[in-house]
Amino acid sequence: MQHDKVLILDFGSQYTQLIARRVRELNIYSEIHPFNKIPTNIQEYKAVILSGSPYSVRGEEALHPDLSQIRGVKPLLGVCYGAQYLAHFSDGEVAPSNTREYGRANLSFIKDDENFFAHIKEGSQVWMSHSDTIKKLPSNSVLMASTHDVKNAAYRIEGEQTYAIQFHPEVYHSTDGKRVLENFLVGIAGLNQDWTPDSFVEETVEAIQEKVGNDKVVLGLSGGVDSTVAAVLLNKAIGKNLYCIFVNNGLLRKNEFESVLNQYEGMGLNVKGVDASQRFLDALAGIEDPEKKRKAIGNAFIEVFDDEAHKLEDVKWLAQGTIYPDVIESVSATGGPSATIKSHHNVGGLPDFMKLKIVEPLRAIFKDEVRRVGATLGIDPELLGRHPFPGPGLGIRILGDITAEKVRILQDVDAIFINGLKKWGLYDKVWQAGAMLLPVNSVGVMGDERTYEKCVALRAVESTDGMTADWVNLPYEFLQKTSNDIINKVKGVNRVVYDISSKPPATIEWE
């Protein structure tokens, strides 16, 4: 099946991924590409959206896309920077706003003569995020909406299917934002809404069978959502030719190695468990720098995985649980610093010595879509609802050097915290939670004895995709009970703190 596709040109906005996810929620397939790398197969896209940007269209560093094959040819929607770009370079005027236009606003005027604002009433809340504003519209344009502070909040270009809005329909705070996108993509551009988990499974299985044929595939399982869904998809496509390896790096949660292996029983997967705990601990001995720890863990994993893969005969493919955010976060829209914020071990290939080709069945979809696909495949909801867990495991939650004793302490602390969240019915209200072992000791008193032991920090956040996150206001009673249990039951800890930092400026993990 050929699905209608939407091209989203990224100008570096923090919200670009949200645009793509909102479009996908309409059961319409979308792709993100940097503004200066327009796909050569542009004719295959039925509509185009221009994202926001931290840049100004008035600045020397203004980002200029080549819209010659798009403008006036395909339905086009400019969002924020995209709207300002279309105005500024079409005889309109963009100027600094007297006050920064950021936050909630309400549409005070709507003129909808082409159904762009169908089913949306005046007073609808939208989200603004810009310091420039459109002072004058292009001469061939029609004003469609205003807010109390922004006169030119939306407009269209006559003689084209070109629309522009100053607000962000993709964010949660724009209450009718999804409807705006649907009006444009379905009502105006005429796209079909047939991109569904069922269709994805059917088409991906066929694509895997065509790509891999009768070859053998090896997959490294982590016990997480992405690798599990990838494994079940591959198993559905190639069955006995899939070989799964689950490596215990000694940095998993308490009893996780055994529990994950048990969890895969009955799923029909061919899984081999490899306990390489000591090998990883030896590789990490004396290393304190976070980046060096990550590299040591990654190198050890490749060595262990390569050893196990060579025990299998005639394996030609390595399967990975790469998902779409891994891909687009590894590409900078502007060639600037954002390219180095987050690198992904499973994007960009393998060490040459492994000599395996790559298959990535989830490469085109977001995390929430992975879970929906998993549900379609009949995977246990409890497994699909697991919190994300970092690839380096507890290695980046133990600040400073890593020892077996520190791992034991953190595993015990983490188990009390996570099991407590489940018992109190809080686990599913949290996007990610974990504990950090800090490289400091503090004085305490237990009975009549003075102690000088470790401090741990608990962390729980709510998020949709991990790009931004807020700390969760857990009940004081829960925190009190958890703190008491940790201090009383975990030898070596006498102090517990709770991290109330949001992302940004903090990150979810401490290293």
Side-chain angles (χ1 to χ4, degrees):
M1 181 185 296
Q2 292 295 318
H3 300 279
D4 290 342
K5 298 194 295 185
V6 176
L7 170 63
I8 300 167
L9 292 183
D10 179 25
F11 294 88
S13 169
Q14 62 177 322
Y15 298 139
T16 303
Q17 281 198 35
L18 290 180
I19 299 175
R21 290 178 62 241
R22 291 290 178 265
V23 173
R24 300 278 187 95
E25 288 172 6
L26 295 170
N27 293 330
I28 298 173
Y29 181 70
S30 62
E31 289 181 356
I32 297 172
H33 290 267
F35 76 97
N36 56 355
K37 295 181 180 178
I38 296 175
T40 54
N41 60 334
I42 184 65
Q43 70 280 358
E44 296 181 10
Y45 297 86
K46 291 198 67 174
V48 179
I49 298 175
L50 309 180
S51 83
S53 175
Y55 291 85
S56 169
V57 297
R58 301 177 298 102
E60 294 181 2
E61 296 181 339
L63 310 180
H64 294 276
D66 178 7
L67 301 180
S68 59
Q69 300 180 70
I70 298 172
R71 177 83 185 268
V73 179
K74 298 179 179 295
L76 175 64
L77 173 63
V79 174
C80 198
Y81 180 92
Q84 294 175 359
Y85 183 89
L86 292 172
H88 186 68
F89 294 99
S90 299
D91 78 359
E93 180 187 354
V94 175
S97 175
N98 294 330
T99 59
R100 180 167 168 78
E101 295 165 349
Y102 182 86
R104 295 173 178 84
N106 298 93
L107 297 177
S108 57
F109 162 80
I110 294 177
K111 177 183 178 182
D112 182 37
D113 53 359
E114 287 194 26
N115 296 319
F116 187 85
F117 285 109
H119 309 293
I120 298 173
K121 298 179 180 179
E122 291 181 0
S124 176
Q125 179 178 286
V126 295
W127 183 262
M128 296 288 187
S129 181
H130 54 92
S131 54
D132 287 345
T133 194
I134 300 171
K135 292 291 187 182
K136 182 172 76 74
L137 295 177
S139 56
N140 60 336
S141 62
V142 175
L143 177 67
M144 292 198 302
S146 305
T147 70
H148 292 293
D149 297 319
V150 181
K151 178 182 178 182
N152 299 313
Y155 66 93
R156 65 177 176 84
I157 305 294
E158 291 188 302
E160 306 175 14
Q161 285 186 311
T162 298
Y163 297 79
I165 51 179
Q166 273 280 250
F167 59 89
H168 288 270
E170 68 272 22
V171 303
Y172 172 79
H173 301 293
S174 290
T175 52
D176 292 312
K178 188 174 178 180
R179 169 63 73 175
V180 168
L181 291 172
E182 185 172 18
N183 287 344
F184 170 69
L185 294 171
V186 180
I188 294 171
L191 275 71
N192 292 316
Q193 296 173 277
D194 54 10
W195 170 256
T196 64
D198 286 337
S199 67
F200 176 82
V201 169
E202 180 182 346
E203 294 159 29
T204 302
V205 166
E206 291 179 3
I208 292 170
Q209 291 170 338
E210 182 176 347
K211 184 175 186 176
V212 173
N214 292 319
D215 293 346
K216 293 180 180 178
V217 178
V218 63
L219 167 67
L221 280 174
S222 69
V225 176
D226 300 338
S227 66
T228 299
V229 174
V232 175
L233 260 177
L234 284 157
N235 188 57
K236 187 177 179 68
I238 62 175
K240 60 183 177 57
N241 281 342
L242 174 65
Y243 297 82
C244 301
I245 298 172
F246 179 43
V247 177
N248 181 7
N249 60 9
L251 302 167
L252 302 175
R253 285 178 157 145
K254 188 174 183 178
N255 301 323
E256 187 171 28
F257 184 57
E258 296 79 7
S259 65
V260 167
L261 287 176
N262 290 336
Q263 198 167 29
Y264 285 129
E265 284 187 9
M267 293 179 66
L269 297 177
N270 178 15
V271 182
K272 178 182 180 181
V274 179
D275 189 351
S277 304
Q278 194 58 51
R279 186 168 179 174
F280 280 84
L281 289 173
D282 290 344
L284 287 164
I287 299 177
E288 297 185 6
D289 180 80
E291 189 60 25
K292 289 180 180 178
K293 286 196 291 186
R294 286 179 179 271
K295 288 180 179 177
I297 294 168
N299 290 337
F301 176 81
I302 289 174
E303 291 172 2
V304 172
F305 193 82
D306 188 52
D307 290 346
E308 294 300 321
H310 274 96
K311 295 177 182 177
L312 302 171
E313 294 183 1
D314 300 323
V315 172
K316 296 182 179 179
W317 296 85
L318 171 73
Q320 297 189 138
T322 309
I323 63 175
Y324 197 40
D326 297 340
V327 177
I328 55 183
E329 286 175 3
S330 297
V331 178
S332 170
T334 62
S338 61
T340 61
I341 290 174
K342 189 174 186 181
S343 60
H344 294 271
H345 69 280
N346 55 351
V347 177
L350 296 167
D352 291 337
F353 67 81
M354 292 193 75
K355 306 298 182 185
L356 295 174
K357 295 179 285 186
I358 296 176
V359 56
E360 298 169 315
L362 307 179
R363 187 181 177 90
I365 60 177
F366 289 96
K367 190 78 170 188
D368 50 342
E369 293 176 306
V370 173
R371 289 193 167 98
R372 289 199 291 271
V373 168
T376 295
L377 290 167
I379 297 174
D380 186 342
E382 184 175 343
L383 195 156
L384 292 177
R386 285 193 67 186
H387 290 177
F389 188 64
L394 301 181
I396 57 170
R397 293 182 177 178
I398 298 173
L399 279 64
D401 69 318
I402 297 172
T403 65
E405 175 63 8
K406 289 181 179 180
V407 172
R408 191 274 305 168
I409 290 173
L410 190 55
Q411 284 179 332
D412 288 346
V413 170
D414 180 85
I416 291 172
F417 185 32
I418 298 300
N419 290 336
L421 288 171
K422 292 178 179 178
K423 288 178 183 176
W424 283 61
L426 298 169
Y427 186 84
D428 291 334
K429 298 177 181 179
V430 172
W431 190 76
Q432 185 171 350
M436 319 295 162
L437 182 64
L438 307 187
V440 294
N441 284 23
S442 68
V443 174
V445 177
M446 291 187 180
D448 294 324
E449 295 184 7
R450 176 184 183 275
T451 62
Y452 191 59
E453 295 179 331
K454 294 293 183 185
C455 174
V456 294
L458 306 182
R459 181 90 157 122
V461 299
E462 54 186 1
S463 179
T464 54
D465 49 25
M467 295 180 63
T468 61
D470 289 324
W471 63 278
V472 178
N473 190 4
L474 295 174
Y476 285 137
E477 295 81 6
F478 168 77
L479 291 173
Q480 181 183 47
K481 176 71 165 60
T482 302
S483 176
N484 287 341
D485 285 347
I486 289 171
I487 292 172
N488 288 327
K489 297 177 181 179
V490 182
K491 185 179 179 180
V493 176
N494 68 356
R495 191 176 299 271
V496 177
V497 298
Y498 186 53
D499 183 351
I500 59 170
S501 311
S502 294
K503 177 187 179 181
T507 54
I508 294 176
E509 300 293 343
W510 279 43
E511 287 192 342

